[in-house]
Amino acid sequence: MAALCPSCHKPAGPRPGNKSAPFCSPRCRQVDLGRWLGEEYRVPDRPLDAEPEQPRPASAPAQDEDGR
Ligand SMILES: [Zn+2]
C-alpha cells in the first residue's frame, strides 16, 4: 500500500525507511506544517478588552422640533 504524500501527492514510503512518513520527504513535512501554522497565525487577534461597537439604529427619525 503506497501512501501518498499529503503535501505533494507523490507516493511516500512507509515509516521504517521513511522518517518523514506520511510525507515523502522532510521538505514536504515542513511545507505542510508551515501551512498549518500559517493558517493558525492567520487568525486575526482582536483586542478582547475593546468595547464592542454599538450599532446605531439606521431608522432613527430626525426629530425636527420647530419652535412655536
Ligand atoms: Zn511530498
Side-chain angles (χ1 to χ4, degrees):
M1 158 184 163
L4 294 184
C5 170
S7 190
C8 67
H9 301 121
K10 281 189 209 162
R15 194 167 271 280
N18 177 15
K19 272 193 185 174
S20 313
F23 301 92
C24 70
S25 66
R27 177 177 297 226
C28 278
R29 195 158 152 244
Q30 282 297 315
V31 166
D32 195 78
L33 193 72
R35 199 186 303 163
W36 245 92
L37 292 177
E39 295 213 350
E40 276 213 1
Y41 284 132
R42 213 196 292 166
V43 175
D45 53 331
R46 37 188 172 165
L48 288 176
D49 48 354
E51 277 186 42
E53 229 174 285
Q54 296 276 349
R56 290 191 182 185
S59 58
Q63 293 206 340
D64 237 10
E65 282 192 40
D66 282 26
R68 277 187 257 175

